[in-house]
Amino acid sequence: DAGITQSPRHKVTETGTPVTLRCHQTENHRYMYWYRQDPGHGLRLIHYSYGVKDTDKGEVSDGYSVSRSKTEDFLLTLESATSSQTSVYFCAIRGTGENEQYFGPGTRLTVT
Amino acid sequence: AQSVTQLGSHVSVSEGALVLLRCNYSSSVPPYLFWYVQYPNQGLQLLLKYTTGATLVKGINGFEAEFKKSETSFHLTKPSAHMSDAAEYFCVVSDLDDYKLSFGAGTTVTVRA
């Protein structure tokens, strides 16, 4: 157990509304990641962070922003949700070994 | 960025039969290699990893994988399937100097009684 929690676990929202997902870790890991999971695509990286206030884009970052003001929290924001952002979102931290990551339980987001 | 190919999006096996999931990666330089498992409605769990050294890697729940550099492959096997092995399995790679992961599309395993 890497001490990762995600909130909310489920959310239904309407097109055009802003949405913020939260990832919280308890073990002071430097690297944190946000992924989305869609059938047939595995997991795709949205954004990641390598320290407080240090973030970078992943392969599917359009329409998403992130913030990290504390080591333990990494927020993912959908500025104006669209139906194409309906997905399951996973947060992860990089462990202390060779690049392995540990995942949170996921947030299922539905945009209607 | 690394490219990962998992052959077969669905695999169905009988209980007690061999489980074989195939994975090929694109890099000419051996990367770090992982297999993750995702049980229904759960997060991903690390099954095993290859970094350096022995090319046959043993993981949890009786799974193992063999790294073959010449074939750029990292296939996952389990000699005898159990009903509890029904899940989705992801082959994942990472370059040695990159803290990002590249995922295969996943293979869903169904176990028949």
Side-chain angles (χ1 to χ4, degrees):
Chain A
D1 185 0
I4 305 169
T5 57
Q6 293 184 231
S7 59
R9 294 293 313 281
H10 300 271
K11 186 170 182 66
V12 179
T13 192
E14 293 184 349
T15 298
T17 60
V19 176
T20 296
L21 308 183
R22 178 179 182 245
C23 178
H24 179 78
Q25 56 138 335
T26 60
E27 299 185 0
N28 206 35
H29 292 282
R30 179 182 172 194
Y31 283 81
M32 298 183 74
Y33 306 81
W34 276 107
Y35 293 89
R36 61 178 289 172
Q37 181 179 22
D38 305 289
H41 291 277
L43 272 71
R44 292 178 292 176
L45 182 64
I46 305 171
H47 282 280
Y48 68 101
S49 170
Y50 46 96
V52 173
K53 291 185 169 48
D54 292 323
T55 64
D56 205 351
K57 296 179 179 180
E59 63 177 301
V60 290
S61 61
D62 287 348
Y64 301 94
S65 62
V66 290
S67 65
R68 193 167 178 201
S69 59
K70 299 184 292 184
T71 299
E72 59 266 34
D73 289 326
F74 191 32
L75 304 181
L76 176 70
T77 297
L78 290 65
E79 302 290 349
S80 177
T82 68
S83 58
S84 65
Q85 294 176 312
T86 292
S87 188
V88 181
Y89 291 86
F90 287 99
C91 174
I93 59 93
R94 177 177 175 262
T96 55
E98 291 86 0
N99 290 359
E100 69 265 25
Q101 294 180 14
Y102 298 94
F103 290 81
T107 294
R108 184 173 295 276
L109 176 67
T110 302
V111 183
T112 61
Chain B
Q2 290 275 1
S3 173
V4 184
T5 301
Q6 292 185 237
L7 275 73
S9 58
H10 289 86
V11 169
S12 180
V13 299
S14 297
E15 193 172 20
L18 171 73
V19 179
L20 170 60
L21 305 182
R22 300 179 187 275
C23 172
N24 290 89
Y25 61 91
S26 63
S27 176
S28 59
V29 177
Y32 294 138
L33 295 156
F34 311 89
W35 277 98
Y36 282 82
V37 60
Q38 183 180 30
Y39 299 104
N41 299 312
Q42 294 188 24
L44 281 75
Q45 180 181 0
L46 181 63
L47 201 55
L48 51 77
K49 67 179 180 181
Y50 169 80
T51 54
T52 60
T55 56
L56 184 62
V57 180
K58 295 187 183 301
I60 62 173
N61 302 335
F63 283 91
E64 62 183 33
E66 185 171 13
F67 168 61
K68 291 188 176 181
K69 180 181 177 180
S70 61
E71 299 177 6
T72 60
S73 69
F74 190 56
H75 301 332
L76 181 71
T77 60
K78 181 174 181 178
S80 177
H82 190 272
M83 298 299 287
S84 60
D85 295 326
E88 189 164 19
Y89 294 80
F90 294 94
C91 182
V92 182
V93 302
S94 174
D95 287 328
L96 304 190
D97 58 352
D98 188 357
Y99 295 153
K100 300 192 293 291
L101 302 181
S102 296
F103 284 76
T107 298
T108 299
V109 173
T110 302
V111 183
R112 305 185 305 271

